[in-house]
Amino acid sequence: MNRATYLICIACAMPLFAQTEVTIPDTLSGQEFHLVLQNGNFQFQEGIDSETMGVNGPVLGPTLIMEQGQFADISVENQLGEPTTIHWHGLHVSAENDGGPHTVIHPGETWNPQFTVLDKAGTYWYHPHLHEHTDEHVSKGLSGFIIVKDDEEAALELPRTYGVDDFPLVIQTKSINPTGEIVAHTNSDTELMVNAVMDPRLVVPEQVVRFRLLNGSSQRVFNFGLSNNQSFHMIASDGGLLNVSVELTRLMLAPGERAEILVDFALTTGSTTSLLSYAAELQNGIYGAAQPGMMSMQSLDGYNPNPLNGSDFEVMRFEIVDPTVNAVTTIVSNLASDTPLTESESDITRQFTLTPEVMGPNSINGDFLINGSYFDMETINEVIPLNNIEVWSITNQSPIAHPFHIHDVQFYVLDRNGVPPAPTEQGRKDVVLVKPMETVRFITKFEDFANPTVPFMYHCHMLTHEDAGMMGQFIVVDPLATNSNLAGLIPTVVTLGPAYPNPFNPTTTIRYDLPTRSAVTLGVYDITGRTITILADTHQPAGAYSIHWNGTNDLGNPVSTGMYFCRLEAGDYSKTIKMVYLK
Ligand code: C2O
Ligand code: CU
Ligand code: CU
């Protein structure tokens, strides 16, 4: 990139500007987490109010500290006055707890996901996932960190004093118009911030310091490095520790990706140094490079002018102070002993092709499709048998790089255009940047959670692309369960079978079949027609289902003995059966 821009950008890093101390988010820990989604007011720029959204505050949210193996009981109260969802990005949780677009939290409602933390120690995050509104809600400020701890990580000599030598840093660019309004779905993200602070400065001790970097931007890819070109060590990727630390001078991070790095400030000469994004070195075809498309005639609406595109710029300034007592002074090299899955173990390869909706020079402006389709809430794109080990092969046939993300699982990158990944990409990941005309293959195992009705998502983590439909969904089904629609068991007609046992006490099982995906209501009524409980009220894919009723009403109280009716409504079909509850 041209030298003039470089010099101007370095100039703004000089002490002409008063820099603001970076805010380190509060932490929540223990078994219960209370999150309140709220509207707020926040001054990113002094004197200019922006209407924001935050978690337990006006912008961003607390860091949730979780221990592997613990039970997490989370309440998410929506005081925004509009619907949203909260997704635990990177955590391996069941589809019902995942917070995808099907799990809407309506205004005034509280959602209560509960799960056991199965993940490895690492840096994860939470953010909204409402279909077509993810960019708006994230840009307005909804997101926070999740730090998982485990015994393997605890045994290593790593910095882990939160806010002292271990810092979560979410780096974001936003578009904020002169009146302070945060604009979503735009390519004019000129405002750079770390933990919602612009022109940020962080006081760090003169020792080994750990940064948990999260690219929380809607679209921008960063190419991190230190101002003096000092090397640093990457110790963890999206899903936890790398097996060995990797010495680097540059680290590219795409939207949604995390990396933990160690910087030895004892090696730094002088009392300040900076974290930069060496965006002038980004190859064309990546959002953040001089050219976001592969060819010069391919440009994004509103992309230029933007001083961040294709120029090196300062992300934050470090001010180095005296070391702490018990400072970590060495870089651990052997971190973990994680065994990646290998291709020979795979059951199937699935192909995903990313294409622009229109061809030609304007194709870079999207929309973008996955396997030729837009996201449709009612379409399940992939049905995956529980415990399948799968290779996913992602081919980008568009002129811009897309960060591909999958829910439910962490994966291992097998190769990029047939070449094994760099050491930084050999660990557990949940986002991978797929460059133009590139094929990235990864391998993963769909274990622990099956649910024939609630899907998981896969999508581009450029939020503008995701909101415009660059997303698909999969269900994980248990071939051994009665509600599986695999094994050639797709029914041909809708049926509601008799309840069994009947009469019953304490529980009866109601079975029904769906030949196609339908809107389903399954209710229990008393002999006067009063609703006792609704057992299902959702869209369900084709399949054979069995649902249990334990003789309680919708408040969970036991009903009196006697006769009840169960009615299934599925599309045009409806049928009612009798059940007798005995004491
Ligand atoms: Cu971070 Cu489906 O998202
Ligand atoms: Cu996710
Ligand atoms: Cu994309």
Short mmCIF file of all heavy atoms in Angstrom, two decimals, residues 354 368 398 400-403 459-466 470, ligand 3:
data_model
loop_
_atom_site.label_atom_id
_atom_site.label_comp_id
_atom_site.label_asym_id
_atom_site.label_seq_id
_atom_site.Cartn_x
_atom_site.Cartn_y
_atom_site.Cartn_z
N LEU A 354 -19.59 -21.91 -2.27
CA LEU A 354 -20.00 -20.53 -1.99
C LEU A 354 -19.97 -19.77 -3.31
O LEU A 354 -18.92 -19.72 -3.96
CB LEU A 354 -19.03 -19.89 -0.98
CG LEU A 354 -18.62 -20.77 0.21
CD1 LEU A 354 -17.64 -20.01 1.11
CD2 LEU A 354 -19.84 -21.22 1.01
N PHE A 368 -24.67 -13.78 -1.38
CA PHE A 368 -23.91 -15.00 -1.59
C PHE A 368 -24.74 -16.21 -1.15
O PHE A 368 -25.52 -16.13 -0.20
CB PHE A 368 -22.60 -14.94 -0.80
CG PHE A 368 -21.71 -13.82 -1.27
CD1 PHE A 368 -21.70 -12.60 -0.61
CD2 PHE A 368 -20.92 -13.97 -2.40
CE1 PHE A 368 -20.89 -11.55 -1.05
CE2 PHE A 368 -20.12 -12.92 -2.85
CZ PHE A 368 -20.10 -11.71 -2.17
N SER A 398 -16.38 -17.31 -5.27
CA SER A 398 -16.71 -15.89 -5.34
C SER A 398 -15.42 -15.10 -5.18
O SER A 398 -14.41 -15.64 -4.73
CB SER A 398 -17.71 -15.52 -4.24
OG SER A 398 -17.06 -15.32 -3.02
N ILE A 400 -14.46 -12.84 -3.09
CA ILE A 400 -14.11 -12.31 -1.77
C ILE A 400 -14.02 -13.47 -0.78
O ILE A 400 -14.74 -14.47 -0.92
CB ILE A 400 -15.12 -11.23 -1.33
CG1 ILE A 400 -14.67 -10.53 -0.03
CG2 ILE A 400 -16.53 -11.79 -1.18
CD1 ILE A 400 -15.46 -9.26 0.30
N ALA A 401 -13.14 -13.34 0.21
CA ALA A 401 -12.95 -14.39 1.21
C ALA A 401 -14.13 -14.40 2.18
O ALA A 401 -14.62 -13.35 2.58
CB ALA A 401 -11.65 -14.15 1.98
N HIS A 402 -14.56 -15.60 2.57
CA HIS A 402 -15.67 -15.76 3.53
C HIS A 402 -15.20 -16.57 4.74
O HIS A 402 -14.69 -17.69 4.56
CB HIS A 402 -16.85 -16.49 2.89
CG HIS A 402 -17.41 -15.83 1.68
ND1 HIS A 402 -18.31 -14.79 1.73
CD2 HIS A 402 -17.18 -16.05 0.35
CE1 HIS A 402 -18.62 -14.41 0.51
NE2 HIS A 402 -17.95 -15.15 -0.36
N PRO A 403 -15.39 -16.06 5.95
CA PRO A 403 -15.11 -16.87 7.14
C PRO A 403 -16.26 -17.85 7.41
O PRO A 403 -17.35 -17.44 7.81
CB PRO A 403 -14.98 -15.82 8.26
CG PRO A 403 -15.68 -14.60 7.77
CD PRO A 403 -15.76 -14.67 6.28
N HIS A 459 -22.59 -21.00 8.55
CA HIS A 459 -22.78 -19.75 7.80
C HIS A 459 -21.48 -19.00 7.64
O HIS A 459 -20.47 -19.30 8.28
CB HIS A 459 -23.80 -18.85 8.51
CG HIS A 459 -23.47 -18.50 9.93
ND1 HIS A 459 -22.76 -17.38 10.28
CD2 HIS A 459 -23.76 -19.13 11.10
CE1 HIS A 459 -22.64 -17.32 11.60
NE2 HIS A 459 -23.23 -18.39 12.13
N CYS A 460 -21.53 -17.97 6.80
CA CYS A 460 -20.44 -17.03 6.70
C CYS A 460 -20.54 -16.11 7.89
O CYS A 460 -21.61 -15.62 8.22
CB CYS A 460 -20.57 -16.23 5.40
SG CYS A 460 -19.31 -14.94 5.30
N HIS A 461 -19.38 -15.86 8.56
CA HIS A 461 -19.41 -14.98 9.73
C HIS A 461 -19.20 -13.51 9.39
O HIS A 461 -19.02 -12.67 10.28
CB HIS A 461 -18.44 -15.44 10.82
CG HIS A 461 -19.01 -15.31 12.21
ND1 HIS A 461 -19.19 -14.08 12.80
CD2 HIS A 461 -19.48 -16.23 13.07
CE1 HIS A 461 -19.73 -14.26 14.00
NE2 HIS A 461 -19.92 -15.56 14.20
N MET A 462 -19.22 -13.16 8.09
CA MET A 462 -19.39 -11.74 7.76
C MET A 462 -20.89 -11.51 7.97
O MET A 462 -21.74 -12.13 7.31
CB MET A 462 -18.97 -11.46 6.32
CG MET A 462 -17.45 -11.53 6.16
SD MET A 462 -16.93 -11.49 4.44
CE MET A 462 -16.87 -9.73 4.14
N LEU A 463 -21.21 -10.67 8.94
CA LEU A 463 -22.60 -10.61 9.40
C LEU A 463 -23.53 -10.05 8.33
O LEU A 463 -24.71 -10.39 8.30
CB LEU A 463 -22.68 -9.79 10.69
CG LEU A 463 -21.78 -10.32 11.83
CD1 LEU A 463 -21.94 -9.46 13.07
CD2 LEU A 463 -22.07 -11.79 12.15
N THR A 464 -22.98 -9.21 7.45
CA THR A 464 -23.80 -8.72 6.34
C THR A 464 -24.19 -9.89 5.42
O THR A 464 -25.32 -9.98 4.98
CB THR A 464 -23.00 -7.70 5.51
OG1 THR A 464 -21.72 -8.28 5.23
CG2 THR A 464 -22.78 -6.41 6.28
N HIS A 465 -23.23 -10.79 5.18
CA HIS A 465 -23.52 -11.94 4.32
C HIS A 465 -24.49 -12.90 4.99
O HIS A 465 -25.43 -13.39 4.38
CB HIS A 465 -22.22 -12.68 3.97
CG HIS A 465 -21.27 -11.88 3.14
ND1 HIS A 465 -20.06 -12.38 2.72
CD2 HIS A 465 -21.34 -10.61 2.64
CE1 HIS A 465 -19.43 -11.46 2.00
NE2 HIS A 465 -20.18 -10.38 1.95
N GLU A 466 -24.24 -13.14 6.28
CA GLU A 466 -25.11 -14.05 7.03
C GLU A 466 -26.55 -13.54 7.02
O GLU A 466 -27.49 -14.29 6.72
CB GLU A 466 -24.59 -14.16 8.48
CG GLU A 466 -25.51 -14.93 9.40
CD GLU A 466 -25.09 -14.84 10.87
OE1 GLU A 466 -23.95 -14.43 11.14
OE2 GLU A 466 -25.91 -15.17 11.73
N MET A 470 -26.55 -16.05 3.69
CA MET A 470 -25.43 -16.97 3.45
C MET A 470 -25.28 -17.89 4.66
O MET A 470 -24.32 -17.82 5.43
CB MET A 470 -24.15 -16.17 3.21
CG MET A 470 -23.05 -17.00 2.58
SD MET A 470 -21.59 -16.02 2.25
CE MET A 470 -20.61 -17.27 1.40
CU CU B 3 -19.37 -14.17 3.31
#
